[in-house]
Amino acid sequence: MIEYRNLRVALLGAGSVGAQVADQLLTHRDELAARIGAGIELVGVAVRDVDAPRDTVFPRELLTTDAESLILGSDIVVELMGGLEPARTLILQALNSGADVITANKALLATHGPELFEAAEQVGAQLYYEAAVGGAIPIIRPLRDSLAGDRVERILGIVNGTTNFILDLMDTRGETMENALAIATELGYAEADPTADIGGYDAAQKAGILASLAFHTLVPADAVYREGITEVTLEQVVAARKAGYVVKLLAICERLTDPATGIEGVSARVHPALIPDTHPLAAVHGANNAVFVEAEAAGPLMFYGAGAGGIQTASAVLGDVVSAARRHVVGGPGVAESTHADLPVLPMSAVTTRYQITLVVVDEPGVLAGIAALFQNHGVSVETVQQSVASRDAAGHPEASDAATLVIGTHAASEADLAATVAALTTSSVVHSVTSVLRVEGL
């Protein structure tokens, strides 16, 4: 075998993922070198405090608080610190020094991605980020490379393990949202402050990354429509299951045409949705993630696996390390991110979707016809209507003697028309309350 110089790898951060990456680099150094065609050497691990207690034992000589000096002596820099700063500054320093950079920092990419990719392109370096979206799931490389000659039309993804774990407990065990969140926290799936997960912020950052890559268009995080799962109730989950659906928090990225202007654009959104229990995403249980890609030529593809976890995420990081090292062996500049399409990011109102709306209405003749007319007035076609007995309160008593519950499913319509319909329903004299509104996807 031809002998190459050792490639020097710097690791920034020694948390659960960083510790696993370091262990794998040290344990499998010879095997990785055989795959790469060059030696690979972990030259240091930058931490805030070298004396801080750690679950993983590092060789003390590898630990340093001087991240800048470590970066300047490295060929490949792996950033696993998290947060925006100092991660952004250190990555820019690494790229400007000519080093390739590997990161799992979705928040940083969603906020400063264009700046980082431009810096990499200026010096011919490469920024890798396979672990930033799906943990162990290989989705970035397939979108960037394997499907580069195809036209991706739509992506449906379960990209947050915490919310999937919570909704799955509600569906399979009948837990309330509060109980399911408590269990997720106890097991370590949810942080002490779970807002980023249950509020949909984490998933929205990942949706922006996926949409930018799939549609060759910059989709910033603040352009992603976001709803979390905080308003999802056990009653909604149970009713969905009875109707043949499962409630999931979905990241949805798609090409579409704005019905108001006829302009082709892209949309990225995150919100709870009903999907048919026969859809592949309905079978994604626990804290697992899955990304369902619909491409023009390849058709439907699904990528499934662990969305988090130290050793699982380390697998994706190490894949990027090997790719970066091989690029150094072969030579040549890094591949720039493609934003050539430059499509407009359309607002949520331009999206075409379906609603399932649950209403408590006055139980008297002519009400159903009046409700149907209201839908028609807003350009929304009703597909299904189910009526049940009087709505009941928490104690099981009828809320009103003249009340009945309607569950109405719509045909596909614009989000703007559907939202206007719901607004009109809330002010209708024959509607006591709108108790549930969920979008329907995957049909």
Side-chain angles (χ1 to χ4, degrees):
M1 183 178 73
I2 299 175
E3 292 293 333
Y4 295 92
R5 65 180 177 87
N6 277 352
L7 295 171
R8 298 166 60 84
V9 178
L11 177 60
L12 311 182
S16 60
V17 178
Q20 292 292 343
V21 169
D23 180 69
Q24 294 293 307
L25 285 173
L26 294 170
T27 302
H28 302 294
R29 178 176 175 175
D30 292 341
E31 184 178 352
L32 290 171
R35 297 177 192 174
I36 294 165
I40 191 161
E41 178 185 3
L42 178 62
V43 294
V45 181
V47 295
R48 291 185 178 88
D49 181 1
V50 297
D51 296 316
R54 294 183 173 82
D55 294 334
T56 302
V57 178
F58 287 86
R60 185 167 180 88
E61 65 271 15
L62 287 180
L63 297 177
T64 178
T65 58
D66 189 357
E68 293 186 6
S69 296
L70 183 62
I71 286 170
L72 292 177
S74 301
D75 303 296
I76 299 169
V77 175
V78 181
E79 182 276 310
L80 297 172
M81 306 170 67
L84 299 183
E85 288 291 355
R88 169 186 163 275
T89 299
L90 293 173
I91 287 178
L92 286 173
Q93 182 179 358
L95 292 170
N96 289 329
S97 75
D100 284 348
V101 172
I102 295 150
T103 182
N105 195 332
K106 57 190 171 292
L108 182 62
L109 290 171
T111 307
H112 297 292
E115 177 188 16
L116 300 179
F117 289 120
E118 182 178 358
E121 186 175 4
Q122 289 295 321
V123 298
Q126 184 79 52
L127 179 61
Y128 298 84
Y129 52 101
E130 184 65 71
V133 172
I137 301 172
I139 184 60
I140 299 301
R141 199 169 288 110
L143 285 175
R144 187 185 60 211
D145 299 332
S146 304
L147 295 173
D150 207 336
R151 177 184 169 94
V152 175
E153 299 289 351
R154 196 165 193 247
I155 296 173
L156 292 175
I158 297 170
V159 295
N160 182 272
T162 300
T163 52
N164 198 62
F165 181 82
I166 291 170
L167 292 173
D168 192 47
L169 282 183
M170 295 172 72
D171 179 50
T172 59
R173 288 176 33 179
E175 301 285 355
T176 64
M177 171 67 69
E178 293 73 17
N179 288 347
L181 176 57
I183 293 170
T185 303
E186 181 181 354
L187 295 176
Y189 291 121
E191 301 289 343
D193 179 1
T195 303
D197 293 321
I198 65 175
Y201 295 94
D202 174 86
Q205 291 169 349
K206 294 172 179 177
I209 294 170
L210 287 173
S212 298
L213 187 59
F215 305 131
H216 309 285
T217 292
L218 175 61
V219 181
D222 58 8
V224 179
Y225 176 85
R226 176 195 55 80
E227 291 179 24
I229 66 168
T230 54
E231 301 301 318
V232 176
T233 66
L234 178 58
E235 290 73 20
Q236 287 177 315
V237 174
V238 171
R241 175 60 73 175
K242 289 180 179 178
Y245 293 99
V246 177
V247 180
K248 296 290 187 183
L249 181 72
L250 294 182
I252 304 170
C253 313
E254 60 186 345
R255 296 179 187 268
L256 50 81
T257 300
D258 188 337
T261 64
I263 295 174
E264 182 186 14
V266 300
S267 167
R269 50 195 167 101
V270 168
H271 53 72
L274 300 174
I275 58 173
D277 57 15
T278 55
H279 193 282
L281 290 178
V284 179
H285 297 294
N288 287 314
N289 284 187
V291 180
F292 193 83
V293 179
E294 300 172 11
E296 185 176 78
L301 307 166
M302 192 168 92
F303 303 83
Y304 168 86
I311 187 63
Q312 293 89 347
T313 305
S315 169
V317 172
L318 288 164
D320 281 344
V321 170
V322 171
S323 294
R326 285 173 172 167
R327 193 185 78 77
H328 276 270
V329 171
V330 174
V335 179
E337 288 298 293
S338 171
T339 57
H340 70 274
D342 197 25
L343 298 171
V345 182
L346 299 180
M348 186 65 181
S349 59
V351 169
T352 298
T353 185
R354 302 166 184 254
Y355 274 15
Q356 186 182 87
I357 307 167
T358 304
L359 311 169
V360 179
V361 301
V362 175
D363 189 11
E364 61 184 34
V367 167
L368 185 57
I371 295 292
L374 189 151
F375 275 79
Q376 185 177 8
N377 290 342
H378 287 86
V380 177
S381 175
V382 173
E383 182 178 27
T384 61
V385 178
Q386 295 179 341
Q387 180 173 344
S388 62
V389 296
S391 177
R392 297 181 179 273
D393 61 21
H397 303 300
E399 291 182 341
S401 59
D402 66 341
T405 298
L406 295 179
V407 180
I408 299 175
T410 75
H411 285 286
S414 75
E415 174 75 18
D417 288 342
L418 288 164
T421 302
V422 172
L425 288 169
T426 61
T427 60
S428 171
S429 61
V430 299
V431 176
H432 288 302
S433 62
V434 179
T435 61
S436 173
V437 178
L438 284 171
R439 297 175 182 87
V440 181
E441 303 289 344
L443 295 177

